[in-house]
Structures are given as structure tokens and as C-alpha cells.
Amino acid sequence: MAFLELNVLNNPQDPIIGIDLGTTNSLAAIFRDGRPHILRPHQQDSRIPSVIHFPKSGNPIVGRAAREHAYSHPGTNLFSVKRFMGRGLADVKGDLAEVPFPVSETEHGLLQFDIHGKTYTPQELSALILMRVHDVACQQLDGIMPQRVVITVPAYFDDAQRQATRDAAKLAGLDVVRIINEPTAASLAYGLDQKKDGTVAVYDLGGGTFDVSILSIEEGVFRVLATSGDTHLGGDDLDRTLVEVALEELRPQVGELAEDPAFQQGLRLAAEKCKIELSRAPEADFHFVVPERNLTWHKHVSREEFEALVAPLIERTLDACRRAMADAGLHNDAIDEIVLVGGSTRVPAVQRRVEEFFGKKPHTELNPDEVVAMGAAVQGHILAGGTRDILLMDVTPLSLGLETMGGATAKIILRNSPIPCQQTEGFTTYADNQTGVDFHIVQGERELAADCRSLGKMKLSGIPPMPAGMARVMVRFQLDANGVLIVTAKEESTGTQASIEVQPMHGLTDDQVEEMLQASFDHAREDFDASLLANLKTEIGTMVRATAAHMDDARDRLDPETVADLDEAIAAAQRAADGETDVKVVQRARDELERATLPLAALLMDGVAKQALTGKSLDEV
Amino acid sequence: MAECSKCGERLASVLVCDACDALQDPASPPGPFEAFGLPVAFAVDESVLKKRLLALSRKMHPDFFGLAGTAEHELAERNTAELNSAHKILADAFRRADHLVRALGGPSEQDERQMPQPFLMEVLEWNETLEDAREAAPESPKRAALDSLETTLQTEREEAMDRIAALLDPLPDTGSPTLTELRKELNAVRYLDRTLSTLREIQLEQASST
């Protein structure tokens, strides 16, 4: 009997998908048949806008449909939720200008959005986005629904922000196997694509955050040497410069309306359009209309003007590059390749300044919107046991330490230390017969503990009375491969011990996560169906419009049977979109419509091909 | 010499077996040289060290133990953490020397706090140059003074590290008076490093246009 050789190493049975949870867009990928694949809906843009629409009644809608609502129903949508993750009110003042809902803070520093009488934390909002991304991904996977995921975060995210991301995934019903850094993920995708050893700088300017990471790639080992960044600098801020220009002109005209969040949101979307146009053309029209206010405003913007506006922001990214290079102990000429990540790196001025800074043309072959998700899929493949050929060795972006007497910080684990790592420091008592020591754990580079992020407090008690300075308290910081910190304190002479797994401010407690999960389980099925229904209906609308636009032309060229079939499918889909509430029926109508439009699509493709070939001789073809 | 708990081969690194790749669970936290399986000596070949780091990481990084049981996964976390901490010491000449002085029973940083008067005067002067440069206008000669101070500090550091290397080869005996001498040199290097890091902070601030 012959044995079948099963290629289990290549496609693990229980795959782990990678999810890029972005400020502006999110997407998922999976590693299969030797390379990462983006999980995109058929013939559609792979990106799912990280936008949530809240109808006055009914469930929130996420993604492309929500983004369309942002234009038609301003004031009912949330953008850039990622900017609020793991943050308190004081941190996000500037970002609230275009949030059309009241925002408050709980005692534990947790943000809450009051939306149509229901409160949502940033974690719950991100969970909505994750659920949508996961749905779309599973639709492409023929029935497998991997619950295990690798989620990416900006490298410069602190502990609170990472923990918030982890909790969001839990709330979405996902099992987070690993949180990895976005630039590191991008380097994996790049390295796999290029198969070249060397020193690489990843410059990642996303929708809301900036990261730079310096890596050494050697025989499949990706080792991060240093990372730096700014968690509050991205495409949103580039848009903001144009918004400010517009507001200056508009304020005298519209008065208080200028401060209205919905107005600001609309204005930023217009600014974003203008920015994107300016990456293609030397000049663009900045166009803003509010029909119900009878307001039409536009301004001609040249690329030079825009570049002058954003120059200070670009310089800030280069400051972080300088810091990362200094921490890596390298000169700029040691960089062999620069990888650009994030939609904002399409801005020509960004590419130019990066090239000037490193003295080398950046690598632009990979799609800057997709590399992060692809890299996350590669890491998922490694963690699922799919390969031992690739290994990622990452670092912790920020120093971890303790507050000492007088409010100073004693750094225990320095920034850019490889993880996992551990470090033990000895401390002693400062007063005679002191029986307890309080520890305040902080994260950051500042000298004063009050200027760093507070990660938590713990107390070691039960030290036997002895003169000051005699007790020997050993404090151990353990940082695992996920960047989760565990702090243990032990008095050596008695063996008294205390330890905590750090739970940062602005975060959810385990109990809160449990409670929210329970609440969502109660509503899970209906919520899920409602959001799926809304998305399906939007999709049908788009398909029907697209089909109608081509039908007049194509009607004569299709055989009558096909036309009849198509007309019927359109009518059925329309009926389903108008009043049907059973998800299965709507799904079937949508699938039926897609099948019926296939001959039309083929005809149109054929037409395009013929047009392209017209007037060319055979040799040219 | 320790032996592999699984196959009985002699271990190079006490964290993982080179022969059968079995993770080891050492009874006490290993020293950095034992973690890497390198001879205890001040001189370390950088390229050998890096090769060893990559090879050992490939054997025991927790990412490769996703399918293993909790206990083995935790051991992989712990051993990789030990390896990374050991690498940090071995990859840096100052930390390496500091570790050897401690391991040989020499005085700690606090035990030899007293620095000679002339050296402290020098430190004061450096700090003054730094503070002047921090406040200075872009074209001021006070800023230019930073570059020459950087050269001075680096030369002094190199000379001190050369003396430290000489004192550590061959390794002094446990409790030898040479260890006190080494600690004094190391404390001086610590001052130099602190000054150099402040200097680099100022340089970064001034390179920034925002």
C-alpha cells in the first residue's frame, strides 16, 4: 500500500488569519499555498472602511455602506475609532471636533460614546469593525471560519492601546493569538516577496499613526533593531491642514455651523478627496457642498500649497526616523532598502523627503494598503505551525519602569529591548520597620513618572520589621512575546511575594469584558443578521445600478433567454432589498443576481478587449 | 558540563540541546555565557555571537511552540527571555565587563561611588558645555563645541575600554584587587555614557526642525 504524503506543513488545518485593524481601512489576509492572500470580496476593493454608521433605529452598519452614509447622512457616523483606543478624554481633545456624539469618561478613564441613547466604548466600536472584517474574510473561505487571528497595531502603541485592541477582539468573539507591530508585519511581506538579506527601514504613515522600524533580515530571521513613531500623526492630520484652510474662509460665512461635528466631518471627507487628487495631479479642486444649508464652497489648491501645509508634519516623521536610526546605532547609509507602508505614503512630498533623508529611492512595488495584513497572515502561518523557515524577533517600543522616591522613573526594561525578555532589579526599604512597599509601574521615556503612562500599582506587604535599607526586594519584569508585562516582587529574606499582570488605565477589566460578551451573546444572532442584511441590501443596490447602466447597450447583444433571466433576477433582488427581513432569502437573491449578471459581465469584458485591439495588426497583438 | 535531559548529549547552551533541539529547564537562571554556550572571557567575536543568537532563537522561540502544550510554550518564553537578556550583556563591551566584575565577586557600582576630584571637575565642564549648547542659537560656536566634545568623550571612552579589556585578559582571580580598579574604570565610563547620551539628545533636538 502506498502512503499518501500529506502536505500538512503548508496549509495548517486550523489556520490563523491576519487582520490589519486600521484607522481608515481594515482588511484580512490568509497564508495559503506558499504565500499570503488578501481576503477580498469578489471584484471589489480589498479595503473595508473603518467607518461605523449608526441609524436612528436598528443596528450599526460598518464598512463601505457606512462610508456612503457619511456623505448622505452626515452626523450619524464615526471615523478613526482607533485614535480613541486605550486613551482618556484629555488625550483626544483634538480628535473630538468631528465626533457627532457626546463623549464622556468613566472613573477608570474609559471613554464612552453616547449614541442614540446607548453607550459604546472604543473597544466595542472596534469590535464592530473586527466583526465585519471577519465576516467578509469568512465569506471568501468557503465555509471555514477561523476564530484565531493575528491583529496588527502601530509599533509605537503603548500597553493600554494594545490591551484595548486585544479586548476589542475578544468582544468580537475572536481569539487573538498575537498582537504584532504593523511595520514589522510589513517587513515580513516585503522579505518574503524579495527574498533578499539586508537592513531595511519600514516607513509606515497610516491614517492616524506613524511608525518607523529598522530591521535586519538574515536567512529568514527578521530582527527588529529599533522602532520609533508617533501614535498621533497620520493621514487624518494631513487632511486636517486643508480643513483648517477651509474653516478660515468659511467661518465668517457660516458662523457657529463651523464648529458642528457633522459639518467638520463632511469638510474632512472633502479635504481627503482633494488630498488624494493632489497625489495624482499638480492641482485639485477642494469642493464642499451642504445642500440643506444651500452652501457651495470651493477652492483651487496646488500641490505646492498643500506640500507647504504638510511640511511640518512630514518633518515630524523624520525626527522619529532619526531617533530610530540613533537607537539602532546606524548611519543612514547602512539602510539597504526603504519600504513604504500606509496610504499616506502615496503623497509625493512624503516619498521625496524620505528619499532625501535616507539617500535612496524607496521600494514601492508592494501595495502599501495591503502589506500589513499580508504580513500578519505570514505571522499567523508561523504561529499555526505552518513553517519554521521564518522567524520574527520584535522589540518593545517604550521603556518600562517603576516610580522611585521623589517621583522619578527607574527604567527596568529599556525601549527597543527584544521580546520576550526579563529583567530583575533590587530595591530596599527607606524607613525603619517598613513592612510594605508600593510599586507604581510606568511606561515611557520621560524622567518623571507623572509624565509617563501609568500601567498599574501593586503592593508588597508582610516584610518583617528591620532597619531601613536592610530588606532586599527583588522586582522582576517579565515581558512575553505578546508584549504582556508581568511584574513580580519578592522579599529575599522571607520569600514574601506579590505579582500582577498589568491592567492599564483607560482599559476594560476582565469582568467588564465578560459582561459585555454576555450582553452581546444575548443579541449576537440578531445583531449579526441585521448588519449582514444591511450590507447585503447595499450591495444589491450597487449591483442593480451597475447592471442598469449597461443594460440599454447590451440588451440587443445578449440572447433573449439571458435577458429574461437577468430581468427576473433584478426584480427579485429589488424586492428582497425593499422589504425582505430574512437574511437567507436576501443572500440567495444577491447570489442569484450575481450569477445572472455573469453573461453581461463577460460581454462587457469582451467589448473592452475588442476596443483595445481595434486598429492593431496581429503582430502588435 | 551539563547534559541534555532528553538525549544525554553534552550541552553547549544550557537552554536548548544542539543535538536533539529539546528545550532544557535549568535549575537556576543561567549566566549569559552559559546561555550562549560560549567560554567565559571578555573578548567575544561579534559575528559568532550573532550567528549563535539566530541559531538558538530558531530552536527555542515561543512562536514555534504554538502547537506545543502550555508548559513547553512557557519554557520557550522563559528560555528565549533568558537568551535575549544574555545577548544584551554579551553584545555590549561595557555590560560584559560589568557582568564579569560582578561574577568574579568584585565591588558593585555603589561600592565604588567615589570618583577622583579632577575627573569630577572634568564632568562639570562637560555639563556646562552641554547646557550652553542646548540654549544656543543655530549658528553659535557653542553649538559647534558639541562636536568637539563628542570626539573628546569618545576618545576617552575608547581609551578606558582598552584599559578595561587589558585588565580582564586574562580574567583576574575572584576577589583580586584588580576588580576594584576595573570598577573605578567602569564607573568613569558610566559618566561618559551619560554625558554622551545627553549630547545625542541635544543633537537630535537640534536636527529637528519642528
Side-chain angles (χ1 to χ4, degrees):
Chain A
M1 196 179 98
F3 285 96
L4 281 178
E5 202 175 72
L6 289 177
N7 204 355
V8 279
L9 269 187
N10 274 333
N11 286 335
Q13 288 212 320
D14 191 5
I16 299 174
I17 58 174
I19 295 181
D20 171 5
L21 177 61
T23 309
T24 321
N25 293 294
S26 301
L27 68 163
I30 192 167
F31 195 97
R32 271 188 167 179
D33 308 325
R35 64 183 191 87
H37 297 266
I38 293 288
L39 293 167
R40 77 183 83 222
H42 288 300
Q43 299 164 356
Q44 267 185 37
D45 188 345
S46 59
R47 297 171 298 171
I48 294 167
S50 305
V51 185
I52 313 172
H53 167 64
F54 295 89
K56 285 266 152 37
S57 62
N59 285 300
I61 295 169
V62 179
R64 200 154 297 280
R67 211 189 140 84
E68 276 169 26
H69 278 290
Y71 293 103
S72 54
H73 303 82
T76 54
N77 311 287
L78 264 185
F79 286 78
S80 305
V81 172
K82 190 170 174 181
R83 288 198 149 194
F84 303 110
M85 294 284 274
R87 301 273 96 145
L89 259 189
D91 303 316
V92 299
K93 282 232 163 66
D95 297 315
L96 293 174
E98 55 174 272
V99 172
F101 306 107
V103 182
S104 59
E105 195 182 59
T106 67
E107 226 169 90
H108 198 64
L110 185 64
L111 285 179
Q112 280 189 324
F113 295 72
D114 183 356
I115 301 169
H116 306 324
K118 197 174 168 211
T119 56
Y120 294 86
T121 60
Q123 286 85 335
E124 291 168 281
L125 294 166
S126 289
L128 292 174
I129 298 170
L130 282 169
M131 280 188 238
R132 173 77 186 132
V133 173
H134 186 249
D135 284 353
V136 170
C138 290
Q139 280 166 29
Q140 311 311 311
L141 286 173
D142 312 320
I144 3 170
M145 295 184 80
Q147 295 302 308
R148 297 194 300 161
V149 295
V150 170
I151 299 184
T152 63
V153 295
Y156 219 55
F157 251 23
D158 66 23
D159 199 56
Q161 292 168 304
R162 285 167 199 264
Q163 205 72 48
T165 307
R166 192 173 276 286
D167 289 339
K170 267 190 223 156
L171 293 174
L174 301 173
D175 174 12
V176 196
V177 185
R178 176 66 55 82
I179 298 275
I180 70 166
N181 295 325
E182 286 158 10
T184 321
S187 80
L188 276 177
Y190 159 84
L192 221 65
D193 190 61
Q194 294 296 306
K195 300 188 172 62
K196 256 191 302 196
D197 283 1
T199 309
V200 175
V202 181
Y203 179 100
D204 180 358
L205 188 57
T209 56
F210 172 71
D211 281 324
V212 56
S213 288
I214 313 298
L215 290 108
S216 130
I217 304 177
E218 218 169 326
E219 293 166 24
V221 181
F222 292 67
R223 191 157 62 106
V224 180
L225 303 175
T227 190
S228 185
D230 190 327
T231 51
H232 227 116
L233 174 59
D236 284 356
D237 301 280
L238 303 187
D239 301 342
R240 199 73 216 160
T241 62
L242 285 172
V243 169
E244 290 303 327
V245 168
L247 280 177
E248 210 158 293
E249 289 193 13
L250 279 165
R251 272 205 181 96
Q253 201 179 326
V254 303
E256 277 187 6
L257 180 63
E259 313 312 322
D260 178 58
F263 181 87
Q264 293 235 357
Q265 203 175 71
L267 196 51
R268 199 188 48 78
L269 286 172
E272 187 184 28
K273 249 187 191 153
C274 175
K275 171 189 75 179
I276 292 170
E277 182 62 23
L278 281 171
S279 291
R280 284 192 290 255
E283 41 199 50
D285 209 28
F286 184 4
H287 197 74
F288 184 51
V289 189
V290 186
E292 55 269 38
R293 297 275 178 163
N294 228 345
L295 176 77
T296 303
W297 176 87
H298 72 102
K299 186 184 174 67
H300 202 70
V301 185
S302 75
R303 192 182 275 175
E304 284 76 45
E305 287 170 292
F306 176 62
E307 289 183 352
L309 289 172
V310 300
L313 297 176
I314 300 178
E315 292 312 309
R316 261 169 70 193
T317 67
L318 298 179
D319 290 346
C321 292
R322 267 182 215 106
R323 195 162 285 277
M325 292 302 287
D327 280 358
L330 296 173
H331 288 289
N332 290 5
D333 54 13
I335 299 295
D336 298 309
E337 195 85 60
I338 305 129
V339 180
L340 296 182
V341 184
S344 303
T345 58
R346 291 204 175 87
V347 172
V350 170
Q351 296 190 0
R352 201 171 58 237
R353 283 298 285 133
V354 172
E355 182 177 343
E356 280 165 10
F357 182 84
F358 287 106
K360 198 163 274 153
K361 256 207 173 335
H363 184 88
T364 49
E365 279 163 46
L366 292 165
N367 182 338
D369 294 319
E370 295 182 347
V371 279
V372 170
M374 303 231 283
V378 176
Q379 181 67 8
H381 185 61
I382 299 169
L383 293 172
T387 180
R388 285 190 77 118
D389 295 340
I390 308 162
L391 173 61
L392 187 60
M393 296 163 72
D394 215 330
V395 299
T396 179
L398 297 158
S399 301
L400 294 158
L402 288 172
E403 177 172 350
T404 60
M405 287 297 294
T409 326
K411 289 177 184 161
I412 312 267
I413 291 178
L414 298 178
R415 69 163 186 264
N416 290 320
S417 293
I419 52 172
C421 63
Q422 53 81 18
Q423 187 70 39
T424 307
E425 289 287 330
F427 290 87
T428 187
T429 46
Y430 64 94
D432 288 339
N433 301 326
Q434 185 182 342
T435 54
V437 186
D438 287 307
F439 295 99
H440 180 204
I441 300 137
V442 295
Q443 181 172 39
E445 308 312 315
R446 305 283 295 274
E447 298 288 328
L448 290 179
D451 295 330
C452 294
R453 289 255 158 211
S454 169
L455 292 188
K457 292 186 172 154
M458 73 173 193
K459 191 179 179 77
L460 175 70
S461 37
I463 302 173
M466 54 182 123
M470 286 303 286
R472 283 177 52 80
V473 178
M474 300 309 279
V475 179
R476 184 179 162 90
F477 274 50
Q478 253 177 295
L479 200 55
D480 72 11
N482 274 309
V484 173
L485 176 66
I486 294 174
V487 180
T488 323
K490 188 177 179 189
E491 204 284 308
E492 295 272 276
S493 65
T494 56
T496 315
Q497 204 164 325
S499 89
I500 59 165
E501 184 169 333
V502 167
Q503 283 211 343
M505 274 295 274
H506 315 305
L508 300 169
T509 63
D510 286 347
D511 288 345
Q512 277 173 309
V513 172
E514 272 312 308
E515 242 169 70
M516 288 175 173
L517 269 178
Q518 197 50 52
S520 69
F521 274 135
D522 298 343
H523 303 289
R525 195 65 242 171
E526 41 186 294
D527 283 7
F528 181 83
D529 284 356
S531 91
L532 196 59
L533 200 60
N535 284 308
L536 280 171
K537 288 183 174 181
T538 312
E539 213 180 325
I540 288 177
T542 314
M543 287 165 77
V544 169
R545 274 197 301 280
T547 313
H550 294 292
M551 262 316 257
D552 291 343
D553 267 358
R555 197 173 283 274
D556 301 339
R557 288 185 280 152
L558 291 167
D559 61 88
E561 233 169 90
T562 308
V563 175
D565 181 33
L566 196 48
D567 284 338
E568 197 181 312
I570 291 175
Q574 198 80 64
R575 267 198 310 280
D578 285 345
E580 185 55 59
T581 51
D582 186 339
V583 179
K584 284 196 202 95
V585 175
V586 182
Q587 177 79 52
R588 214 175 304 129
R590 182 226 159 267
D591 293 346
E592 186 59 21
L593 178 59
E594 186 174 33
R595 184 198 56 73
T597 53
L598 283 177
L600 175 65
L603 182 79
L604 291 173
M605 280 308 294
D606 201 31
V608 172
K610 275 199 186 115
Q611 213 163 20
L613 297 178
T614 317
K616 287 189 181 164
S617 73
L618 261 182
D619 313 349
E620 285 175 279
V621 182
Chain B
M1 265 292 171
E3 281 165 8
C4 173
S5 58
K6 195 173 164 202
C7 73
E9 279 290 314
R10 240 183 56 180
L11 291 174
S13 161
V14 295
L15 299 173
V16 67
C17 175
D18 271 328
C20 75
D21 288 355
L23 291 177
Q24 307 294 311
D25 191 1
S28 59
F33 294 98
E34 294 169 276
F36 271 80
L38 292 173
V40 180
F42 176 69
V44 164
D45 184 332
E46 262 183 51
S47 69
V48 170
L49 184 69
K50 194 171 77 179
K51 273 210 183 94
R52 204 70 190 122
L53 174 73
L54 300 190
L56 291 170
S57 295
R58 271 188 181 287
K59 289 184 197 292
M60 62 191 193
H61 198 280
D63 282 6
F64 296 141
F65 290 84
L67 303 176
T70 318
E72 203 179 5
H73 188 263
E74 268 171 21
L75 188 57
E77 282 274 0
R78 208 159 60 232
N79 283 4
T80 303
E82 288 291 351
L83 184 77
N84 283 334
S85 301
H87 180 256
K88 199 163 145 192
I89 294 170
L90 297 186
D92 179 80
F94 175 84
R95 290 206 179 96
R96 212 154 62 220
D98 173 72
H99 167 80
L100 286 169
V101 171
R102 267 173 223 269
L104 293 168
S108 74
E109 185 193 351
Q110 283 79 18
D111 295 339
E112 285 301 320
R113 249 190 297 227
Q114 293 285 341
M115 298 302 291
Q117 195 64 21
F119 181 78
L120 289 175
M121 294 305 289
E122 215 183 346
V123 173
L124 281 178
E125 250 171 67
W126 299 336
N127 286 341
E128 216 165 288
T129 311
L130 290 179
E131 286 322 304
D132 285 352
R134 201 195 284 276
E135 311 289 314
E139 298 306 319
S140 158
K142 285 180 179 168
R143 274 207 186 185
L146 274 189
D147 294 339
S148 73
L149 176 60
E150 189 181 9
T151 319
T152 311
L153 294 172
Q154 267 166 349
T155 316
E156 278 203 34
R157 191 185 195 279
E158 272 164 38
E159 287 165 2
M161 287 311 297
D162 284 347
R163 286 194 298 274
I164 288 168
L167 289 170
L168 282 168
D169 182 30
L171 283 181
D173 294 328
T174 309
S176 136
T178 311
L179 295 170
T180 307
E181 204 179 327
L182 275 163
R183 180 53 71 190
K184 284 183 176 153
E185 291 280 8
L186 285 168
N187 277 353
V189 173
R190 218 180 268 275
Y191 272 96
L192 285 160
D193 281 347
R194 236 172 265 155
T195 316
L196 271 167
S197 105
T198 314
L199 186 145
R200 301 226 159 93
E201 279 300 315
I202 296 173
Q203 282 175 334
L204 278 173
E205 268 167 41
Q206 297 186 341
S208 158
S209 59
T210 47

